[in-house]
Short mmCIF file of all heavy atoms in Angstrom, two decimals:
data_model
loop_
_atom_site.label_atom_id
_atom_site.label_comp_id
_atom_site.label_asym_id
_atom_site.label_seq_id
_atom_site.Cartn_x
_atom_site.Cartn_y
_atom_site.Cartn_z
N MET A 1 47.58 -4.82 -53.86
CA MET A 1 47.31 -3.49 -53.37
C MET A 1 48.62 -2.90 -52.84
O MET A 1 49.32 -3.52 -52.05
CB MET A 1 46.25 -3.55 -52.27
CG MET A 1 46.01 -2.24 -51.60
SD MET A 1 44.57 -2.24 -50.54
CE MET A 1 45.20 -3.01 -49.09
N ASN A 2 48.94 -1.73 -53.27
CA ASN A 2 50.14 -1.06 -52.83
C ASN A 2 49.84 -0.30 -51.55
O ASN A 2 49.07 0.65 -51.53
CB ASN A 2 50.63 -0.11 -53.93
CG ASN A 2 52.01 0.40 -53.64
OD1 ASN A 2 52.58 0.11 -52.60
ND2 ASN A 2 52.54 1.17 -54.56
N ILE A 3 50.47 -0.72 -50.46
CA ILE A 3 50.16 -0.13 -49.15
C ILE A 3 50.63 1.33 -49.08
O ILE A 3 49.98 2.15 -48.45
CB ILE A 3 50.81 -0.97 -48.03
CG1 ILE A 3 50.13 -2.33 -47.97
CG2 ILE A 3 50.70 -0.29 -46.69
CD1 ILE A 3 50.69 -3.25 -46.93
N ALA A 4 51.73 1.66 -49.73
CA ALA A 4 52.25 3.03 -49.69
C ALA A 4 51.24 4.02 -50.28
O ALA A 4 51.10 5.13 -49.78
CB ALA A 4 53.57 3.11 -50.45
N LYS A 5 50.52 3.63 -51.32
CA LYS A 5 49.53 4.52 -51.92
C LYS A 5 48.33 4.72 -50.99
O LYS A 5 47.73 5.78 -50.96
CB LYS A 5 49.02 3.95 -53.25
CG LYS A 5 50.01 4.00 -54.37
CD LYS A 5 49.37 3.47 -55.63
CE LYS A 5 50.33 3.49 -56.80
NZ LYS A 5 49.71 2.94 -58.02
N ASN A 6 47.98 3.70 -50.23
CA ASN A 6 46.79 3.76 -49.40
C ASN A 6 47.08 4.04 -47.93
O ASN A 6 46.22 3.89 -47.08
CB ASN A 6 46.03 2.43 -49.51
CG ASN A 6 45.58 2.17 -50.93
OD1 ASN A 6 45.12 3.07 -51.60
ND2 ASN A 6 45.74 0.94 -51.38
N MET A 7 48.30 4.46 -47.60
CA MET A 7 48.66 4.69 -46.21
C MET A 7 47.83 5.79 -45.57
O MET A 7 47.47 5.71 -44.41
CB MET A 7 50.15 5.03 -46.11
CG MET A 7 50.67 5.03 -44.69
SD MET A 7 50.40 3.49 -43.81
CE MET A 7 51.61 2.46 -44.57
N GLU A 8 47.49 6.83 -46.33
CA GLU A 8 46.67 7.91 -45.79
C GLU A 8 45.28 7.40 -45.42
O GLU A 8 44.76 7.72 -44.35
CB GLU A 8 46.56 9.05 -46.79
CG GLU A 8 45.78 10.24 -46.26
CD GLU A 8 45.69 11.37 -47.26
OE1 GLU A 8 46.20 11.24 -48.38
OE2 GLU A 8 45.09 12.40 -46.89
N VAL A 9 44.70 6.58 -46.27
CA VAL A 9 43.37 6.02 -45.99
C VAL A 9 43.43 5.09 -44.78
O VAL A 9 42.55 5.12 -43.92
CB VAL A 9 42.83 5.28 -47.22
CG1 VAL A 9 41.53 4.58 -46.91
CG2 VAL A 9 42.68 6.23 -48.39
N ILE A 10 44.48 4.31 -44.69
CA ILE A 10 44.64 3.40 -43.54
C ILE A 10 44.78 4.21 -42.25
O ILE A 10 44.16 3.89 -41.23
CB ILE A 10 45.86 2.48 -43.76
CG1 ILE A 10 45.59 1.52 -44.93
CG2 ILE A 10 46.20 1.70 -42.50
CD1 ILE A 10 46.80 0.75 -45.38
N PHE A 11 45.56 5.27 -42.28
CA PHE A 11 45.76 6.10 -41.10
C PHE A 11 44.46 6.78 -40.67
O PHE A 11 44.11 6.78 -39.49
CB PHE A 11 46.84 7.16 -41.36
CG PHE A 11 47.04 8.10 -40.22
CD1 PHE A 11 47.70 7.69 -39.08
CD2 PHE A 11 46.54 9.39 -40.28
CE1 PHE A 11 47.88 8.57 -38.03
CE2 PHE A 11 46.71 10.27 -39.23
CZ PHE A 11 47.39 9.86 -38.10
N ILE A 12 43.73 7.36 -41.61
CA ILE A 12 42.47 8.05 -41.30
C ILE A 12 41.45 7.05 -40.75
O ILE A 12 40.73 7.35 -39.80
CB ILE A 12 41.92 8.78 -42.54
CG1 ILE A 12 42.91 9.85 -43.01
CG2 ILE A 12 40.56 9.38 -42.27
CD1 ILE A 12 43.14 10.97 -42.02
N THR A 13 41.38 5.85 -41.32
CA THR A 13 40.45 4.83 -40.84
C THR A 13 40.81 4.40 -39.43
O THR A 13 39.93 4.27 -38.57
CB THR A 13 40.47 3.62 -41.79
OG1 THR A 13 40.18 4.07 -43.12
CG2 THR A 13 39.45 2.59 -41.37
N ALA A 14 42.08 4.18 -39.16
CA ALA A 14 42.50 3.79 -37.82
C ALA A 14 42.22 4.91 -36.82
O ALA A 14 41.76 4.64 -35.70
CB ALA A 14 43.98 3.45 -37.83
N LEU A 15 42.47 6.14 -37.20
CA LEU A 15 42.20 7.28 -36.34
C LEU A 15 40.71 7.40 -36.04
O LEU A 15 40.32 7.66 -34.90
CB LEU A 15 42.72 8.56 -36.98
CG LEU A 15 42.62 9.83 -36.15
CD1 LEU A 15 43.49 9.71 -34.91
CD2 LEU A 15 43.06 11.02 -36.98
N ALA A 16 39.88 7.18 -37.05
CA ALA A 16 38.43 7.23 -36.84
C ALA A 16 37.96 6.12 -35.91
O ALA A 16 37.13 6.35 -35.02
CB ALA A 16 37.72 7.13 -38.18
N LEU A 17 38.49 4.92 -36.07
CA LEU A 17 38.12 3.81 -35.19
C LEU A 17 38.52 4.07 -33.74
O LEU A 17 37.75 3.81 -32.82
CB LEU A 17 38.74 2.51 -35.68
CG LEU A 17 38.10 1.89 -36.92
CD1 LEU A 17 38.93 0.70 -37.39
CD2 LEU A 17 36.68 1.46 -36.62
N VAL A 18 39.72 4.61 -33.55
CA VAL A 18 40.18 4.91 -32.20
C VAL A 18 39.32 6.01 -31.58
O VAL A 18 38.95 5.93 -30.41
CB VAL A 18 41.67 5.31 -32.22
CG1 VAL A 18 42.10 5.90 -30.89
CG2 VAL A 18 42.52 4.11 -32.55
N SER A 19 38.97 7.02 -32.35
CA SER A 19 38.15 8.12 -31.84
C SER A 19 36.77 7.64 -31.44
O SER A 19 36.25 7.99 -30.37
CB SER A 19 38.03 9.22 -32.88
OG SER A 19 39.30 9.74 -33.18
N VAL A 20 36.14 6.84 -32.29
CA VAL A 20 34.80 6.34 -31.99
C VAL A 20 34.83 5.43 -30.77
O VAL A 20 33.95 5.50 -29.90
CB VAL A 20 34.22 5.60 -33.22
CG1 VAL A 20 32.96 4.84 -32.87
CG2 VAL A 20 33.96 6.59 -34.34
N THR A 21 35.82 4.59 -30.68
CA THR A 21 35.93 3.69 -29.53
C THR A 21 36.14 4.47 -28.24
O THR A 21 35.56 4.15 -27.21
CB THR A 21 37.10 2.71 -29.74
OG1 THR A 21 36.92 2.04 -30.98
CG2 THR A 21 37.18 1.69 -28.64
N THR A 22 36.97 5.51 -28.30
CA THR A 22 37.23 6.32 -27.11
C THR A 22 35.95 7.03 -26.67
O THR A 22 35.63 7.06 -25.48
CB THR A 22 38.33 7.35 -27.40
OG1 THR A 22 39.50 6.66 -27.81
CG2 THR A 22 38.64 8.18 -26.17
N LEU A 23 35.22 7.58 -27.59
CA LEU A 23 33.98 8.27 -27.24
C LEU A 23 32.94 7.29 -26.72
O LEU A 23 32.19 7.61 -25.80
CB LEU A 23 33.44 9.03 -28.45
CG LEU A 23 34.26 10.25 -28.88
CD1 LEU A 23 33.68 10.86 -30.15
CD2 LEU A 23 34.29 11.29 -27.77
N ALA A 24 32.88 6.10 -27.27
CA ALA A 24 31.92 5.11 -26.81
C ALA A 24 32.24 4.67 -25.38
O ALA A 24 31.34 4.49 -24.56
CB ALA A 24 31.90 3.91 -27.75
N ASN A 25 33.52 4.50 -25.07
CA ASN A 25 33.90 4.10 -23.72
C ASN A 25 33.72 5.23 -22.72
O ASN A 25 33.39 5.00 -21.57
CB ASN A 25 35.34 3.62 -23.68
CG ASN A 25 35.50 2.25 -24.30
OD1 ASN A 25 34.55 1.48 -24.37
ND2 ASN A 25 36.69 1.95 -24.76
N ALA A 26 33.93 6.47 -23.15
CA ALA A 26 33.77 7.60 -22.24
C ALA A 26 32.30 7.84 -21.91
O ALA A 26 31.98 8.32 -20.83
CB ALA A 26 34.37 8.85 -22.87
N ALA A 27 31.41 7.49 -22.81
CA ALA A 27 29.99 7.71 -22.59
C ALA A 27 29.37 6.63 -21.71
O ALA A 27 28.30 6.82 -21.15
CB ALA A 27 29.25 7.76 -23.93
N ALA A 28 30.02 5.50 -21.57
CA ALA A 28 29.48 4.41 -20.76
C ALA A 28 29.62 4.76 -19.28
O ALA A 28 30.68 5.18 -18.83
CB ALA A 28 30.22 3.12 -21.05
N PRO A 29 28.53 4.61 -18.51
CA PRO A 29 28.61 4.95 -17.09
C PRO A 29 29.41 3.89 -16.31
O PRO A 29 29.34 2.70 -16.62
CB PRO A 29 27.15 4.96 -16.64
CG PRO A 29 26.48 4.02 -17.58
CD PRO A 29 27.19 4.17 -18.90
N ALA A 30 30.11 4.36 -15.32
CA ALA A 30 30.84 3.44 -14.46
C ALA A 30 29.83 2.83 -13.49
O ALA A 30 29.08 3.55 -12.83
CB ALA A 30 31.94 4.17 -13.71
N HIS A 31 29.79 1.52 -13.41
CA HIS A 31 28.79 0.87 -12.56
C HIS A 31 29.06 1.13 -11.09
O HIS A 31 28.16 1.43 -10.33
CB HIS A 31 28.76 -0.63 -12.86
CG HIS A 31 28.24 -0.93 -14.22
ND1 HIS A 31 26.92 -0.80 -14.54
CD2 HIS A 31 28.85 -1.32 -15.35
CE1 HIS A 31 26.73 -1.11 -15.81
NE2 HIS A 31 27.91 -1.44 -16.33
N ARG A 32 30.28 0.98 -10.69
CA ARG A 32 30.64 1.29 -9.32
C ARG A 32 32.14 1.51 -9.24
O ARG A 32 32.91 0.91 -9.98
CB ARG A 32 30.22 0.17 -8.37
CG ARG A 32 30.87 -1.14 -8.68
CD ARG A 32 30.38 -2.22 -7.75
NE ARG A 32 30.93 -3.49 -8.20
CZ ARG A 32 31.26 -4.47 -7.40
NH1 ARG A 32 31.06 -4.35 -6.13
NH2 ARG A 32 31.76 -5.57 -7.87
N ALA A 33 32.51 2.36 -8.35
CA ALA A 33 33.92 2.62 -8.15
C ALA A 33 34.44 1.65 -7.10
O ALA A 33 33.89 1.54 -6.02
CB ALA A 33 34.14 4.06 -7.70
N VAL A 34 35.49 0.95 -7.43
CA VAL A 34 36.07 -0.02 -6.52
C VAL A 34 37.29 0.61 -5.88
O VAL A 34 38.22 1.01 -6.57
CB VAL A 34 36.46 -1.32 -7.26
CG1 VAL A 34 37.09 -2.30 -6.31
CG2 VAL A 34 35.24 -1.91 -7.94
N THR A 35 37.26 0.71 -4.56
CA THR A 35 38.42 1.25 -3.86
C THR A 35 39.32 0.09 -3.46
O THR A 35 38.83 -0.92 -2.94
CB THR A 35 38.00 2.03 -2.61
OG1 THR A 35 37.23 1.17 -1.77
CG2 THR A 35 37.16 3.24 -2.99
N PRO A 36 40.58 0.20 -3.69
CA PRO A 36 41.49 -0.90 -3.33
C PRO A 36 41.58 -1.03 -1.81
O PRO A 36 41.56 -0.04 -1.09
CB PRO A 36 42.82 -0.49 -3.94
CG PRO A 36 42.73 0.99 -4.07
CD PRO A 36 41.28 1.31 -4.30
N LEU A 37 41.68 -2.27 -1.37
CA LEU A 37 41.82 -2.53 0.05
C LEU A 37 43.30 -2.45 0.41
O LEU A 37 44.15 -3.09 -0.20
CB LEU A 37 41.28 -3.91 0.41
CG LEU A 37 39.79 -4.12 0.14
CD1 LEU A 37 39.41 -5.56 0.43
CD2 LEU A 37 38.97 -3.18 0.99
N ILE A 38 43.59 -1.66 1.41
CA ILE A 38 44.96 -1.50 1.86
C ILE A 38 45.06 -2.14 3.23
O ILE A 38 44.32 -1.78 4.15
CB ILE A 38 45.37 -0.02 1.92
CG1 ILE A 38 45.25 0.60 0.54
CG2 ILE A 38 46.78 0.12 2.47
CD1 ILE A 38 45.49 2.08 0.52
N GLN A 39 45.94 -3.09 3.36
CA GLN A 39 46.12 -3.75 4.64
C GLN A 39 47.31 -3.15 5.35
O GLN A 39 48.38 -2.98 4.77
CB GLN A 39 46.32 -5.25 4.45
CG GLN A 39 45.13 -5.95 3.86
CD GLN A 39 45.37 -7.44 3.70
OE1 GLN A 39 46.49 -7.90 3.85
NE2 GLN A 39 44.34 -8.17 3.38
N GLN A 40 47.11 -2.85 6.60
CA GLN A 40 48.20 -2.33 7.41
C GLN A 40 48.96 -3.49 8.02
O GLN A 40 48.36 -4.42 8.56
CB GLN A 40 47.64 -1.43 8.53
CG GLN A 40 46.94 -0.20 8.02
CD GLN A 40 47.89 0.78 7.35
OE1 GLN A 40 49.08 0.83 7.66
NE2 GLN A 40 47.37 1.53 6.41
N VAL A 41 50.26 -3.45 7.93
CA VAL A 41 51.10 -4.49 8.49
C VAL A 41 51.48 -4.08 9.90
O VAL A 41 51.95 -2.96 10.13
CB VAL A 41 52.36 -4.71 7.63
CG1 VAL A 41 53.26 -5.75 8.24
CG2 VAL A 41 51.95 -5.09 6.22
N ASP A 42 51.26 -5.00 10.84
CA ASP A 42 51.60 -4.72 12.22
C ASP A 42 53.12 -4.80 12.37
O ASP A 42 53.74 -5.83 12.11
CB ASP A 42 50.91 -5.75 13.13
CG ASP A 42 51.09 -5.42 14.59
OD1 ASP A 42 51.55 -4.29 14.90
OD2 ASP A 42 50.78 -6.28 15.43
N ALA A 43 53.72 -3.71 12.77
CA ALA A 43 55.17 -3.66 12.89
C ALA A 43 55.69 -4.51 14.03
O ALA A 43 56.83 -4.94 14.03
CB ALA A 43 55.63 -2.21 13.06
N SER A 44 54.85 -4.78 15.04
CA SER A 44 55.32 -5.55 16.17
C SER A 44 55.21 -7.06 15.95
O SER A 44 55.71 -7.85 16.74
CB SER A 44 54.51 -5.18 17.42
OG SER A 44 53.15 -5.55 17.23
N ALA A 45 54.55 -7.48 14.86
CA ALA A 45 54.40 -8.91 14.58
C ALA A 45 55.74 -9.49 14.15
O ALA A 45 56.48 -8.88 13.39
CB ALA A 45 53.36 -9.13 13.50
N SER A 46 56.05 -10.67 14.67
CA SER A 46 57.32 -11.29 14.29
C SER A 46 57.18 -11.98 12.94
O SER A 46 56.14 -12.52 12.61
CB SER A 46 57.75 -12.31 15.35
OG SER A 46 56.78 -13.34 15.42
N MET A 47 58.24 -11.92 12.16
CA MET A 47 58.22 -12.50 10.84
C MET A 47 58.59 -13.98 10.92
O MET A 47 59.49 -14.34 11.67
CB MET A 47 59.21 -11.77 9.93
CG MET A 47 59.23 -12.29 8.51
SD MET A 47 60.43 -11.45 7.47
CE MET A 47 59.74 -9.84 7.40
N ALA A 48 57.88 -14.79 10.18
CA ALA A 48 58.18 -16.22 10.17
C ALA A 48 59.46 -16.46 9.38
O ALA A 48 59.62 -15.96 8.27
CB ALA A 48 57.03 -16.99 9.54
N VAL A 49 60.36 -17.22 9.96
CA VAL A 49 61.63 -17.52 9.34
C VAL A 49 61.71 -19.02 9.14
O VAL A 49 61.46 -19.78 10.06
CB VAL A 49 62.81 -17.04 10.20
CG1 VAL A 49 64.14 -17.42 9.57
CG2 VAL A 49 62.72 -15.55 10.42
N VAL A 50 62.05 -19.44 7.92
CA VAL A 50 62.18 -20.86 7.61
C VAL A 50 63.65 -21.15 7.35
O VAL A 50 64.29 -20.50 6.53
CB VAL A 50 61.34 -21.23 6.37
CG1 VAL A 50 61.52 -22.69 6.02
CG2 VAL A 50 59.88 -20.91 6.61
N THR A 51 64.19 -22.14 8.06
CA THR A 51 65.58 -22.53 7.88
C THR A 51 65.62 -23.93 7.30
O THR A 51 65.01 -24.85 7.84
CB THR A 51 66.33 -22.52 9.23
OG1 THR A 51 66.18 -21.24 9.82
CG2 THR A 51 67.78 -22.82 9.04
N ILE A 52 66.32 -24.09 6.19
CA ILE A 52 66.44 -25.39 5.53
C ILE A 52 67.84 -25.91 5.79
O ILE A 52 68.83 -25.24 5.47
CB ILE A 52 66.18 -25.26 4.01
CG1 ILE A 52 64.77 -24.73 3.81
CG2 ILE A 52 66.37 -26.59 3.32
CD1 ILE A 52 64.44 -24.40 2.39
N THR A 53 67.91 -27.10 6.37
CA THR A 53 69.21 -27.64 6.76
C THR A 53 69.59 -28.87 5.94
O THR A 53 70.42 -29.66 6.37
CB THR A 53 69.20 -28.00 8.25
OG1 THR A 53 68.16 -28.94 8.47
CG2 THR A 53 68.98 -26.79 9.11
N ALA A 54 69.02 -29.05 4.78
CA ALA A 54 69.31 -30.22 3.96
C ALA A 54 70.64 -30.02 3.23
O ALA A 54 71.06 -28.90 2.95
CB ALA A 54 68.20 -30.45 2.95
N LYS A 55 71.29 -31.13 2.91
CA LYS A 55 72.54 -31.07 2.16
C LYS A 55 72.24 -30.99 0.67
O LYS A 55 71.22 -31.50 0.20
CB LYS A 55 73.38 -32.31 2.45
CG LYS A 55 73.88 -32.39 3.87
CD LYS A 55 74.75 -33.62 4.05
CE LYS A 55 75.26 -33.70 5.47
NZ LYS A 55 76.07 -34.90 5.68
N ARG A 56 73.12 -30.37 -0.08
CA ARG A 56 72.96 -30.29 -1.53
C ARG A 56 73.29 -31.63 -2.17
O ARG A 56 74.13 -32.38 -1.66
CB ARG A 56 73.88 -29.22 -2.12
CG ARG A 56 73.46 -27.83 -1.75
CD ARG A 56 74.37 -26.84 -2.47
NE ARG A 56 73.89 -25.50 -2.25
CZ ARG A 56 73.27 -24.77 -3.18
NH1 ARG A 56 73.09 -25.25 -4.38
NH2 ARG A 56 72.86 -23.56 -2.91
N LEU A 57 72.64 -31.90 -3.30
CA LEU A 57 72.92 -33.14 -4.03
C LEU A 57 74.22 -33.02 -4.79
O LEU A 57 74.56 -31.96 -5.31
CB LEU A 57 71.79 -33.44 -5.01
CG LEU A 57 70.42 -33.74 -4.41
CD1 LEU A 57 69.40 -33.92 -5.53
CD2 LEU A 57 70.45 -34.98 -3.55
N THR A 58 74.92 -34.13 -4.88
CA THR A 58 76.14 -34.15 -5.69
C THR A 58 75.74 -34.33 -7.16
O THR A 58 74.59 -34.62 -7.48
CB THR A 58 77.05 -35.31 -5.27
OG1 THR A 58 76.38 -36.52 -5.52
CG2 THR A 58 77.43 -35.21 -3.80
N ALA A 59 76.69 -34.19 -8.06
CA ALA A 59 76.42 -34.35 -9.48
C ALA A 59 75.95 -35.78 -9.79
O ALA A 59 75.07 -35.97 -10.62
CB ALA A 59 77.65 -34.01 -10.30
N ALA A 60 76.52 -36.76 -9.10
CA ALA A 60 76.12 -38.15 -9.33
C ALA A 60 74.68 -38.39 -8.87
O ALA A 60 73.92 -39.08 -9.53
CB ALA A 60 77.06 -39.09 -8.60
N GLN A 61 74.30 -37.79 -7.74
CA GLN A 61 72.93 -37.94 -7.24
C GLN A 61 71.92 -37.26 -8.17
O GLN A 61 70.84 -37.76 -8.40
CB GLN A 61 72.82 -37.38 -5.83
CG GLN A 61 73.55 -38.19 -4.79
CD GLN A 61 73.62 -37.51 -3.45
OE1 GLN A 61 73.60 -36.27 -3.38
NE2 GLN A 61 73.72 -38.31 -2.39
N LYS A 62 72.29 -36.09 -8.69
CA LYS A 62 71.41 -35.39 -9.63
C LYS A 62 71.22 -36.21 -10.89
O LYS A 62 70.13 -36.30 -11.44
CB LYS A 62 71.99 -34.02 -9.98
CG LYS A 62 71.90 -33.03 -8.88
CD LYS A 62 72.49 -31.69 -9.32
CE LYS A 62 72.56 -30.69 -8.21
NZ LYS A 62 73.17 -29.43 -8.62
N ALA A 63 72.31 -36.85 -11.38
CA ALA A 63 72.23 -37.67 -12.60
C ALA A 63 71.36 -38.89 -12.35
O ALA A 63 70.61 -39.32 -13.23
CB ALA A 63 73.62 -38.09 -13.03
N GLN A 64 71.43 -39.45 -11.15
CA GLN A 64 70.63 -40.63 -10.83
C GLN A 64 69.15 -40.25 -10.75
O GLN A 64 68.29 -41.03 -11.19
CB GLN A 64 71.09 -41.21 -9.49
CG GLN A 64 70.39 -42.48 -9.10
CD GLN A 64 70.88 -43.02 -7.76
OE1 GLN A 64 71.59 -42.32 -7.04
NE2 GLN A 64 70.49 -44.22 -7.44
N LEU A 65 68.82 -39.08 -10.25
CA LEU A 65 67.43 -38.66 -10.16
C LEU A 65 66.86 -38.31 -11.54
O LEU A 65 65.65 -38.39 -11.75
CB LEU A 65 67.30 -37.44 -9.24
CG LEU A 65 67.50 -37.72 -7.76
CD1 LEU A 65 67.49 -36.40 -6.98
CD2 LEU A 65 66.45 -38.66 -7.23
N GLY A 66 67.71 -37.91 -12.46
CA GLY A 66 67.28 -37.51 -13.79
C GLY A 66 66.80 -38.67 -14.63
O GLY A 66 66.08 -38.50 -15.60
N ASN A 67 67.15 -39.89 -14.29
CA ASN A 67 66.78 -41.06 -15.10
C ASN A 67 65.38 -41.46 -14.88
O ASN A 67 64.65 -41.56 -14.14
CB ASN A 67 67.73 -42.23 -14.85
CG ASN A 67 69.11 -41.90 -15.38
OD1 ASN A 67 69.26 -41.10 -16.30
ND2 ASN A 67 70.13 -42.51 -14.82
#
């Protein structure tokens, strides 16, 4: 089948499918509207800070762990 000859038919079919699907979805009732929950951040709350004091591995230690 030569696609170039049938491109118009393919386009019209795709357009029809998109149109029918859009109309079908628009006609469906929304069951319930969900409102997003917005949380307010307390500006006076202190932020947790994590400090890591470990030493970095050397190349030899990394190679030993890789085995």
Side-chain angles (χ1 to χ4, degrees):
M1 174 169 81
N2 191 356
I3 293 179
K5 288 183 181 179
N6 298 318
M7 190 56 74
E8 183 180 2
V9 175
I10 293 170
F11 176 75
I12 298 296
T13 305
L15 185 64
L17 285 173
V18 168
S19 299
V20 169
T21 305
T22 303
L23 290 175
N25 286 337
H31 293 287
R32 61 182 174 147
V34 179
T35 57
L37 298 175
I38 300 174
Q39 295 180 350
Q40 296 293 332
V41 177
D42 187 12
S44 64
S46 62
M47 182 182 293
V49 177
V50 178
T51 305
I52 300 173
T53 58
K55 293 182 180 179
R56 291 184 173 254
L57 295 176
T58 63
Q61 290 171 332
K62 288 180 186 178
Q64 184 180 11
L65 288 174
N67 292 334

